[in-house]
Amino acid sequence: MRGDSISESRNISANDQGSANKERRRVGFRRFKNRLAFGLFFLSTLFGIVVLAVLLIDVFRDGAAWITPHFFENFASRLPERAGIKAALWGSIWVIGLTTPITFILGVATSIYLEEYARKNWFSRLIQLNISNLAGVPSIVFGILGLTLFVREFGLGPSILAGAFTMSLLVLPIVIVASREAIVSVPQALRNASYAMGATRWQTIQKVVLPYAMPGILTGTILALSRAIGETAPLIMIGAATYVAFTPENVLDSFTVLPIQIYSWVGQPKEEFQFLAAAGIIVLLGVLLSMNAIAIYLRNKFQQKP
Amino acid sequence: MAQHNGSRFRSPRTGRHRVEALIPKVLLFMALISVFTTIGIVLTLLFETVAFFREVSFLEFVTADKWTALFSAEQREFGIMPLVAGTLLVTVGAAFVAIPIGIGSAIFLSEYAPDGLRKVVKPMLEVLAGIPTIVYGFFALTFVTPLLRQVFPGMGVFNALSASLVVGIMIIPMIASLSEDAMRSVPRGIREAAYALGATKLEVAVRVVLPAALSGVIASFVLGISRAIGETMIVTIAAGATPNLTLDMTDSIQTMTAYMVQAATGDNTYGSTPYLSIYAVGMTLFIFTFIMNMLAQFIARRYKEEY
């Protein structure tokens, strides 16, 4: 149609018309490629979600029937029908209960120092570089550090305390990165207002900066702890037991945690133990997803601030 | 008189001021713990690795092609190559899965997806990123391996293929989210200019946004690969425990991390050569990931496009 109207006003050669057609085909091909790519990109995004769904279905199909009150009340056992996660559950609670305050205090202190006190010189850059490098060190290497330093040198043995120290160092970078972001986002005007009222630096940090940054700090802490709950390798390295038939009484007791209990069941040849492992995974994922939900809730609340 | 006036403006030595002066020192001390952690890691690895090389020659360690560290004393051989080969086999396989899918998801989320869809998909990818590796290991062993064995009937229960696929799945969210961050930070105006020239969405994404965000995208690949090298539980559960110098993905292999778990769970006497070999392997692993992490930071900083 367009070609017709043009040929009325101007005498177009066949050659030009050919190239116009070619151009139209080329545009059509580019549009086709665009649609095809859209499909491919969409599929790759979908892939992750499908895998997540399949994984959850696989775990629930295997393990759901094994989640009974006995499963929470029983210790590990050679007999699958008598085995449970009582020791592992309490071990995880003990380790996380100790890791939480250690990581929180160290992480927030480091962030306050870097953002509020440190001059921007080679030294603070070194600390920053060091933190981002630590974040990339494989967790099993932290396990080696824990084994050498806490278990052997400090003589703590494969205890809850050694495990919690190791875990704290492992997840510390996560808390630091999140806390620093939260502290940076506190408007400078709030600090100035506080100084203008005669408050000292520490009073300003304590009463103005920290409360304002707290949701961000808490989100980071929760994410760090959900990482700590699921970590297996470092605790295997420090020698956490796989067969524990008691609940810990104090921080120097030996222990096991949920992921290690699951690992030990995965390695058993009897099929029932695979189902027990799946049941343990359901409990673990349940804890993790509720922690993530809290983190997302906090973040949404945080983002609504002006 | 003058003296008296001077003291009026001198800061009084009250408890509050002492606290104010003390706090930065306390905070600095806590900040230094992360530095001590790094020093601690390097020193422990170094000391015990040196002790290891007093008993095993360095030449044997890097050139021998057999790793039988946990055998009886006469049969022990300490050639790291099979473990490194196993690690690289899994890592390369994982990269083949994770890089195309990760970059595809990143382009979709940053260029194509409407806001509503993004808000649904991103948290799901975050959940996928937050799943413990022990769960992925279980998934590899009980779901992916049986599926693969229908395709390759001769393949054993423990094989590099299943482990590397699942390690790849594990690092997809990391590559996707870091690449997406890099792409989203490309200014809107550059995209608009390309659209004004008649470019399609694909052309804008691949020829404009991707090159502009390339440093961040490549850094995300390197970080993902570094994570795959250090991944432990998936390979321990699904890849087997046979140090094997092979390129065949259907073989059972052992990675550096899986060896460390095996040696740590066995009962090796403290200070014995097998015990020390954990540190030598750990040192090798640490050097690998350290180089990758430094590379990622270098790429991200050196080739960063400034707007």
Side-chain angles (χ1 to χ4, degrees), chain B residues 214-216 218-219 222 294-304:
Chain B
L214 200 61
S215 69
I218 294 196
V222 179
M294 292 307 263
L295 189 67
Q297 283 181 25
F298 175 76
I299 293 170
R301 209 168 308 153
R302 174 72 175 70
Y303 298 103
K304 196 179 172 122

Side-chain angles (χ1 to χ4, degrees), chain A residues 51-73:
Chain A
V51 169
L52 181 63
V54 170
L55 188 152
L56 292 178
I57 292 169
D58 180 45
V59 169
F60 271 88
R61 206 190 42 200
D62 284 356
W66 289 75
I67 297 201
T68 56
H70 294 298
F71 187 63
F72 293 93
E73 287 159 9

Side-chain angles (χ1 to χ4, degrees), chain A residues 30 34 37-38 41-42 44-45 54 58 113 129-130 132-133 136 138 144 148 152 200 202-203 263 288 299, chain B residues 16 20 23 28 34-35 38 104-105 108 112 126 132 134 142-143 198 202-203 260 270 275 279 293-294 297:
Chain A
R30 283 169 60 205
N34 184 40
F38 172 82
F41 296 148
F42 180 67
S44 45
T45 311
V54 170
D58 180 45
Y113 179 77
L129 188 70
N130 174 60
S132 49
N133 261 317
I144 290 194
T148 320
R152 304 257 180 222
T200 63
W202 178 242
Q203 283 171 329
Y263 172 61
L288 279 177
R299 186 173 57 193
Chain B
R16 166 149 301 146
E20 284 290 327
I23 276 170
L28 172 64
S34 74
V35 179
T38 309
S105 317
F108 181 78
Y112 286 87
E126 279 169 18
I134 180 89
T142 64
F143 186 83
L202 172 69
E203 286 156 352
M260 290 161 77
Y270 172 64
Y275 176 84
Y279 291 86
N293 295 340
M294 292 307 263
Q297 283 181 25

Side-chain angles (χ1 to χ4, degrees), chain A residues 21-82:
Chain A
N21 274 335
K22 216 191 259 172
E23 178 61 27
R24 210 172 302 147
R25 268 206 305 276
R26 210 170 67 82
V27 169
F29 183 55
R30 283 169 60 205
R31 288 215 176 113
F32 167 73
K33 270 200 296 188
N34 184 40
R35 271 199 302 275
L36 186 72
F38 172 82
L40 285 178
F41 296 148
F42 180 67
L43 281 182
S44 45
T45 311
L46 210 59
F47 179 81
I49 295 166
V50 169
V51 169
L52 181 63
V54 170
L55 188 152
L56 292 178
I57 292 169
D58 180 45
V59 169
F60 271 88
R61 206 190 42 200
D62 284 356
W66 289 75
I67 297 201
T68 56
H70 294 298
F71 187 63
F72 293 93
E73 287 159 9
N74 288 350
F75 292 113
S77 165
R78 262 178 265 284
L79 302 169
E81 54 280 2
R82 287 225 199 123

Side-chain angles (χ1 to χ4, degrees), chain A residues 12 22 29 39 42 47 59 79 85 96 118 124 143 156 181 203 210 225 237 246 251 264 266-267 274 277 295 303:
Chain A
I12 279 184
K22 216 191 259 172
F29 183 55
F42 180 67
F47 179 81
V59 169
L79 302 169
I85 52 168
I96 294 305
S124 58
L156 296 175
E181 257 170 46
Q203 283 171 329
L210 280 185
L225 292 179
M237 287 309 286
F246 56 86
V251 295
S264 110
V266 167
Q274 305 294 328
Q303 277 172 346

Side-chain angles (χ1 to χ4, degrees), chain B residues 18-170:
Chain B
R18 234 166 276 147
V19 170
E20 284 290 327
L22 191 66
I23 276 170
K25 292 185 185 111
V26 175
L27 294 178
L28 172 64
F29 174 73
M30 296 202 198
L32 283 178
I33 285 181
S34 74
V35 179
F36 292 146
T37 306
T38 309
I39 297 174
I41 288 174
V42 173
L43 287 187
T44 46
L45 287 176
L46 208 60
F47 280 140
E48 307 286 340
T49 305
V50 167
F52 174 77
F53 283 127
R54 270 195 215 113
E55 289 167 38
V56 176
S57 83
F58 182 72
L59 204 65
E60 183 193 338
F61 187 67
V62 292
T63 58
D65 59 357
K66 271 213 181 67
W67 182 268
T68 52
L70 301 177
F71 285 21
S72 62
E74 316 83 66
Q75 289 176 299
R76 277 180 207 145
E77 283 189 65
F78 298 93
I80 186 84
M81 270 205 301
L83 296 182
V84 172
T87 303
L88 293 184
L89 194 62
V90 168
T91 305
V92 169
F96 267 104
V97 175
I99 288 181
I101 295 179
I103 193 87
S105 317
I107 293 177
F108 181 78
L109 288 174
S110 117
E111 305 299 312
Y112 286 87
D115 259 1
L117 191 58
R118 254 192 98 240
K119 279 201 180 112
V120 181
V121 172
K122 273 216 97 168
M124 285 192 185
L125 286 182
E126 279 169 18
V127 169
L128 198 63
I131 286 183
T133 55
I134 180 89
V135 179
Y136 280 115
F138 176 85
F139 180 62
L141 189 69
T142 64
F143 186 83
V144 178
T145 301
L147 205 65
L148 289 173
R149 285 179 79 187
Q150 288 176 359
V151 185
F152 307 98
M155 196 169 70
V157 175
F158 303 110
N159 59 82
L161 186 59
S162 167
S164 70
L165 285 180
V166 177
V167 171
I169 290 170
M170 182 200 79

